[in-house]
Amino acid sequence: MSSQKTNVTLSDLEKRYRETNAESYSLFEEAISVLPGGDTRSVTYTQPFPTFIESASGCRMTTEDGDEVIDFLNNYTQAVHGHSPEPVVDAVVERFKKGNGLGSPTRDITELATRLVDRFPSVDSVRFANSGTEATMNATRAAIAYTERDHILKVKGGYHGTHDAVEVGITGDGREHPGIPSSVEERVTTVRYNDPDALKEVFEAHGSEFACFIVEPFLGAAGMIPATTEYLQTARDLTEEHDSLLVFDEVMSARVSVGGAQEKRGVIPDLTTFGKIIGGGLPVGAFGGREDVMNVYHPEEGNVGHSGTFNGNPATMAGGVVMLDLLDEDAIREINQHGDRIREEVQGIADDTDLPVTVTGEGSVFHIHFAEGPVTDFESAGSGLEATDDSGPNHSLAFYLGMRDRGIFMAPRGMGNISTPMTDEEIDSFVRAAEGALRDVEAIE
Ligand SMILES: Cc1ncc(COP(=O)(O)O)c(C=O)c1O
């Protein structure tokens, strides 16, 4: 591919993006007058400015500049059936019309809870919340209450949402944001991902202090990096040995098989957290697991409160039931095969360039790292939340702009994922675009 160098510069790519997204820029300018940074979600900000989306259907979105793009971002893995899937929309609208926000249980809550209990081996009993953040907050709280210990162990680079305890160490060691109290930081220990020996060491030194070890079966925000089964099994053994709880955060990984990553790996945690794909496209979170642990939330037998005006929101639950029913074994097999194809083919193209590229992922999610590899943890990932290397962010940004220019929408950090409406045609488009975008990146070397 080197022979096809075209001498593109990053500013050429940015200039072209500005020219072709002028309406988005004017909406961005309007937005920054009332929103810090022009949006209300840190991750959706990107340089030089984000694209504003006007509408979406299936696996395609229309930008405010009138371009149609294929959506490989899917709201950071939430939209597993693409946008506005008709059966889900119908269920949500029908339920909403019958009344929503009723201040009392409805049968929709039990129906979605039953789906989670039936699908996920660790889940005997479950509660709903409004985000993955609330799910991990309430799961870790259950662990603290159950074990009567204050400390949490998590992975360096492990992202579990935005409550204080789990924001510690999302970019490696230490406090991530000045807004986190230092007393919280002191309660959190971080450990290297995919390193069973590091886990053994930290448990040997502090195992009796940990209420739980919270871990993603694949490290999502830090670059879709699968855990080895050995690592997860070591985590299972050590938590058991030290009377600590194992919490799998399956907010992203629940989509890899009908029973999530826990079923696929055959490692069953004490508690599991969910979000994104389980709520009909509306805000949702859930946490569930062993009945004796979940019973800390039992109004008569337990002693931990769990309120929330929108917990178990009827329209969210009704949409979630249809969403999960549509995500059956066949649907998952197909999106996983598409994911395999992208990983294999993009890696093959990249290997023919001079660029250091490692494509990671599992099933229907993937991440294109500008790193030599192997990429096994936060430290070895070339991009991710803390891309401090001068060449990393430029490669990622150039690749992102190159993909956008070719009609592909994905995460600026290099992450993408498959939705069920996608066919070989969309996968072909992605691979072709990646070939061109990698050529751009190579040319700005
Ligand atoms: C693994 C994981 N856990 C938790 C969360 C937080 O979920 P939410 O954004 O719904 O609060 C996310 C969000 O991306 C996630 O990827």
Side-chain angles (χ1 to χ4, degrees), residues 109-167:
I109 301 176
T110 316
E111 279 182 26
L112 187 56
T114 305
R115 299 296 190 283
L116 295 178
V117 169
D118 287 349
R119 287 173 81 115
F120 297 94
S122 69
V123 181
D124 301 331
S125 172
V126 65
R127 279 218 164 194
F128 291 102
N130 301 293
S131 63
T133 293
E134 282 183 42
T136 62
M137 183 179 76
N138 285 296
T140 50
R141 184 172 289 166
I144 289 167
Y146 184 83
T147 60
E148 298 181 350
R149 297 172 179 180
D150 274 354
H151 240 83
I152 288 169
L153 179 66
K154 73 179 284 288
V155 166
K156 286 178 195 170
Y159 180 72
H160 306 287
T162 57
H163 62 97
D164 286 352
V166 296
E167 283 264 0

Side-chain angles (χ1 to χ4, degrees), residues 163-176:
H163 62 97
D164 286 352
V166 296
E167 283 264 0
V168 176
I170 58 168
T171 60
D173 266 328
R175 192 176 349 176
E176 168 57 7

